[in-house]
Amino acid sequence: MNISVGVKSDVGRIRSGNEDSYLTNDLIFVVADGMGGHIAGDVASSTAVDTIKEHLGSASGSDPETLAQLIRHANVTIWEKARTDASLTGMGTTCTLVYVDGDRAHVAHVGDSRAYRLRAGALEQLTEDHTLVARMVKEGKLSPAEAMHHPQRSIITRALGVDSDVRVDLTSVELRDGDRLLLCSDGLTSMIDEDSIAEALEREQEPQAAANLLVDLANEAGGEDNVTVLIVDLSSGSAAGGSASSEAASPPPPPEPVGTDPGPAAAAPVHVVRSSRRWPRWLMVLLVIAALIAGGFLAARYALDNSWFVGVDEDDRIAIYSGIPEEIAGVQLKEKQEVTPMLLADLPEFKQAGVRDGIKVDSLDEAQTTVGNLSDLAQDFARDGNTGDGT
Ligand code: CA
């Protein structure tokens, strides 16, 4: 595949600094959107890009897991910086990375920056936003249009630099002659809708001109955030465009998260969870105790991987854990999976004790729903100062 690239990053019309960073390097393309205040956000996103650049040699298309490792490496580097420099506390960044490997694109992703593939005029989102509103859209609680204007749309549930480890989504799609890839920060997608993005990408054939056009459109729509647009055009040298009859019909591949995913239990649909609970809680606890007594780790591991709760981490932030909140025989059986920017103090008092004890749920999906509900509550609380009985 021949590759031509266009890229533009712009501060927008409201912000005073640009906290987005990007990388174009041969076959690897990255967009990172930093957060945490003026300097810290910039440090987070540029550290992500710089760390990836330093370790590019270890990336390989034949093993996309090496791309996830690049991002995890960046995560640790940012996390260390945030821990050792008080002025950088709380910084984080998104990271969307695309590796073009012949006729495939491998995508590694954390946060709410996005990668798209444009083919025959149809725009397919290749990444899944790690945001509360994306979760609510998935559950049918919000329409995509409502999500775009939702006051909590910027709350992300996964970012680099927040914890010592991070789950990275990996997905892989086929590429054809004429495909166009778009990587962007949410400064684009929060300002203009996907139809307008697709239309602009169709209208402007030259990749740099297309990147410029999208940034202009985001700014014309208000430019409320930094905006970064990276376009990668793919063409095969020879005219190998054989059968092109039903291209638009190819369905978008659902991104498949990998890494520490807990297996089939987490993929269960949310709606029927309560009636389909697979293990009574007392049995789970018995199982764990039995496992500890027997010195066998397998059953304890099973419990860790198959039970979930929403609780509070050591920094008083609301977090999602696998495992159980209770210690058994002095042993902690929990692993932090996702941290939110929400603090326990953001919740009304009547809710705090319950969250501190841990709200047990049956799946990661349900945990994320619970976090969404808590976020609603926090928002009401911030607005009204008092939520009565909280219903
Ligand atoms: Ca942003």
Side-chain angles (χ1 to χ4, degrees):
M1 286 280 185
N2 294 321
I3 291 176
S4 47
V5 178
V7 62
K8 180 158 185 179
S9 187
D10 189 77
V11 66
R13 293 204 160 156
I14 308 286
R15 305 286 178 92
S16 58
N18 190 348
E19 299 174 30
D20 289 357
S21 296
Y22 66 88
L23 172 70
T24 70
N25 187 298
D26 196 16
L27 301 172
I28 289 195
F29 307 94
V30 180
V31 165
D33 173 357
M35 70 207 83
H38 287 307
I39 300 162
D42 181 40
V43 170
S45 68
S46 59
T47 302
V49 162
D50 291 346
T51 310
I52 288 169
K53 203 167 157 186
E54 265 172 51
H55 296 85
L56 276 182
S58 64
S60 152
S62 60
D63 184 7
E65 175 60 22
T66 58
L67 306 177
Q69 279 164 13
L70 277 181
I71 290 185
R72 285 197 287 266
H73 207 105
N75 174 64
V76 168
T77 310
I78 298 162
W79 182 69
E80 290 284 351
K81 273 191 189 182
R83 261 183 357 138
T84 50
D85 183 339
S87 70
L88 300 177
T89 301
M91 72 173 174
T93 184
T94 71
C95 188
T96 300
L97 180 155
V98 171
Y99 181 105
V100 175
D101 179 32
D103 61 356
R104 297 204 67 82
H106 306 298
V107 184
H109 163 73
V110 173
D112 68 348
S113 301
R114 293 182 181 174
Y116 288 95
R117 179 180 64 184
L118 181 81
R119 173 177 290 174
L123 196 62
E124 296 171 15
Q125 188 176 336
L126 306 178
T127 48
E128 187 176 313
D129 292 350
H130 300 136
T131 60
L132 289 176
V133 293
R135 174 64 44 185
M136 289 159 85
V137 169
K138 212 172 168 183
E139 290 165 3
K141 289 180 182 169
L142 281 182
S143 73
E146 287 169 332
M148 204 175 143
H149 302 289
H150 197 277
Q152 290 165 271
R153 64 180 182 272
S154 61
I155 295 184
I156 61 176
T157 52
R158 235 193 273 179
L160 272 62
V162 176
D163 204 349
S164 60
D165 197 10
V166 67
R167 293 195 307 135
V168 180
D169 286 358
L170 275 182
T171 190
S172 191
V173 295
E174 179 232 0
L175 294 176
R176 292 183 201 161
D177 184 24
D179 281 351
R180 172 171 265 188
L181 299 173
L182 164 69
L183 281 74
C184 60
S185 60
D186 70 330
L188 179 70
T189 47
S190 62
M191 298 312 300
I192 58 174
D193 62 27
E194 290 185 348
D195 288 345
S196 310
I197 294 173
E199 195 187 306
L201 288 173
E202 279 288 281
R203 180 149 39 110
E204 197 56 79
Q205 290 303 305
E206 203 278 317
Q208 185 58 53
N212 296 346
L213 174 61
L214 285 176
V215 169
D216 289 347
L217 290 174
N219 281 333
E220 279 163 25
E224 290 171 16
D225 198 357
N226 308 144
V227 54
T228 299
V229 173
L230 199 165
I231 290 170
V232 183
D233 282 349
L234 300 136
S235 57
S236 58
S238 57
S243 64
S245 48
S246 62
E247 297 208 332
S250 53
E256 289 179 20
V258 298
T260 55
D261 261 13
V270 195
H271 326 284
V272 290
V273 185
R274 300 225 172 268
S275 56
S276 69
R277 174 177 288 180
R278 300 183 314 159
W279 291 80
R281 194 65 63 179
W282 62 266
L283 182 58
M284 187 82 77
V285 171
L286 267 187
L287 187 68
V288 169
I289 293 171
L292 286 169
I293 290 171
F297 291 101
L298 274 179
R301 183 75 238 169
Y302 183 88
L304 263 181
D305 288 349
N306 288 278
S307 37
W308 299 83
F309 70 95
V310 175
V312 184
D313 77 358
E314 60 282 2
D315 298 325
D316 262 2
R317 278 185 301 214
I318 310 295
I320 294 174
Y321 290 87
S322 58
I324 53 176
E326 296 88 3
E327 288 184 0
I328 292 182
V331 179
Q332 290 211 336
L333 290 166
K334 62 179 182 186
E335 276 177 15
K336 189 158 55 175
Q337 299 295 339
E338 292 184 7
V339 187
T340 75
M342 228 188 321
L343 292 166
L344 188 65
D346 294 337
L347 295 173
E349 249 168 58
F350 76 89
K351 197 74 195 172
Q352 290 185 9
V355 179
R356 196 178 279 289
D357 290 345
I359 302 173
K360 293 176 184 175
V361 293
D362 291 318
S363 67
L364 178 57
D365 272 348
E366 206 187 331
Q368 284 166 330
T369 305
T370 302
V371 167
N373 294 341
L374 290 176
S375 175
D376 288 344
L377 204 58
Q379 195 194 350
D380 292 345
F381 183 56
R383 194 176 49 224
D384 307 336
N386 184 344
T387 55
D389 64 358
T391 51

